[in-house]
Amino acid sequence: MSEPAPFEVYAVRYATVERHAAENFIGGDPHEAASRMDYFVWLARRGGQVFVIDTGFNEAAARRRRRDFLRSPVEGLRLLGIDASLVEDVIVTHLHYDHIGNFDRFPKARFHLQDRELAYATGRYMATPFFAWAYEVDEILAMVRNVYAGRVRFHDGDAQIAAGISVHHIGGHTKGLQVVRLWTRTGWLVLASDASHYAANMDEGRPFPVVADVTEMVDGWARLRELAGETGRIIPGHDPLVMQHYPAASAALEGIAVRLD
Ligand SMILES: [Zn+2]
């Protein structure tokens, strides 16, 4: 079988917030590495084929939740030449507020989502604030409307979206979290999203404290490594080191978008 054509993959940083490192690791953190949390959406592009992974929050949500809003994720994508109003495929890693806001800005999109994520976000655990706080009920309702409008493509577990791009259910952080695996010019790349907020969560075996099932989260790190293979890369969901380790997409996009492949 011939290899699929490679994707270009970008991380677009749209918000940030100062954190105590202890907030990012169950049991606290002895070193002060993770004292900031960055917020990203991701773009995978191959010729005219475009996949946006997550849609981020907007300025109003940033104010409500006291995050430092840098720019709309839609504007970040525009700087990479992507018009959100024309995007046809959005992969939603999970339904937390920082991953699915702004989806009204994608009027043509179909949303790729795990069955288990919508079930979780509309089910019994949402009556418990510990599980519900990172969801915005209005956004969940809007996603349910998308279901009725035929705009949600459900996946159950692993699914190939196109040659060289697939989604994989991981769970852990939420019941239906999925990650995205992409074929690139440098090999396999796995967008972990919140399967590992920081590289240190998985590298040091220290779970992030916002979690539906800790055992699933720990199993998820092994799954990420398996998906990446020996030479692949795993991109954590909120780690400021991503902006340092990868080159800016262009000189004009310094501090805004990095190229991951
Ligand atoms: Zn998140």
Side-chain angles (χ1 to χ4, degrees):
M1 243 176 71
S2 62
E3 273 176 7
F7 280 98
E8 294 167 29
V9 187
Y10 301 89
V12 181
R13 188 171 79 123
Y14 71 90
T16 189
V17 70
E18 297 284 352
R19 307 260 297 184
H20 293 294
E23 291 176 82
N24 299 327
F25 301 87
I26 287 179
D29 185 49
H31 54 73
E32 284 292 306
S35 59
R36 170 163 286 281
M37 175 173 278
D38 278 351
Y39 294 84
F40 298 97
V41 298
W42 299 274
L43 167 68
R45 171 161 71 185
R46 176 170 64 187
Q49 208 176 11
V50 169
F51 294 90
V52 170
I53 297 102
D54 291 343
T55 54
F57 52 71
N58 62 21
E59 196 163 7
R63 228 175 293 122
R64 247 186 345 263
R65 297 205 180 229
R66 301 210 190 109
R67 296 336 189 211
D68 300 327
F69 196 64
L70 302 173
R71 71 198 60 78
S72 166
V74 168
E75 170 64 11
L77 290 166
R78 194 189 65 73
L79 296 170
L80 285 165
I82 301 298
D83 180 348
S85 69
L86 301 177
V87 169
E88 292 180 1
D89 286 283
V90 171
I91 297 174
V92 180
T93 64
H94 61 302
L95 292 168
H96 277 168
Y97 81 97
D98 54 322
H99 296 260
I100 60 151
N102 296 307
F103 63 78
D104 52 315
R105 307 284 301 275
F106 295 80
K108 286 215 167 75
R110 86 178 72 87
F111 298 95
H112 296 264
L113 184 65
Q114 289 283 324
D115 288 311
R116 274 168 276 195
E117 184 62 7
L118 192 61
Y120 179 60
T122 54
R124 64 167 73 194
Y125 293 108
M126 296 306 110
T128 303
F130 176 79
F131 297 114
W133 77 268
Y135 290 103
E136 292 272 347
V137 64
D138 287 336
E139 288 175 350
I140 302 304
L141 293 173
M143 191 56 85
V144 171
R145 290 186 194 285
N146 284 332
V147 173
Y148 277 72
R151 293 182 59 199
V152 177
R153 174 116 172 259
F154 283 102
H155 301 291
D156 180 15
D158 299 347
Q160 176 123 345
I161 308 280
I165 178 169
S166 53
V167 294
H168 304 270
H169 174 254
I170 294 267
H173 174 60
T174 67
K175 282 289 182 190
L177 176 85
Q178 62 184 351
V179 303
V180 184
R181 183 185 194 230
L182 293 144
W183 179 251
T184 74
R185 61 184 180 174
T186 54
W188 289 110
L189 187 148
V190 179
L191 296 174
S193 183
D194 294 1
S196 197
H197 289 65
Y198 295 87
N201 291 118
M202 69 179 282
D203 292 348
E204 298 172 16
R206 303 161 67 80
F208 190 81
V210 178
V211 58
D213 184 321
V214 182
T215 59
E216 273 183 10
M217 181 177 271
V218 171
D219 287 343
W221 300 331
R223 182 75 174 122
L224 289 172
R225 292 192 183 98
E226 186 182 298
L227 289 167
E230 301 241 313
T231 55
R233 323 176 159 190
I234 299 168
I235 310 298
H238 289 276
D239 198 330
L241 292 176
V242 169
M243 296 302 289
Q244 290 177 31
H245 285 175
Y246 293 96
S250 69
L253 289 170
E254 195 68 54
I256 299 175
V258 289
R259 182 143 180 197
L260 300 172
D261 58 299

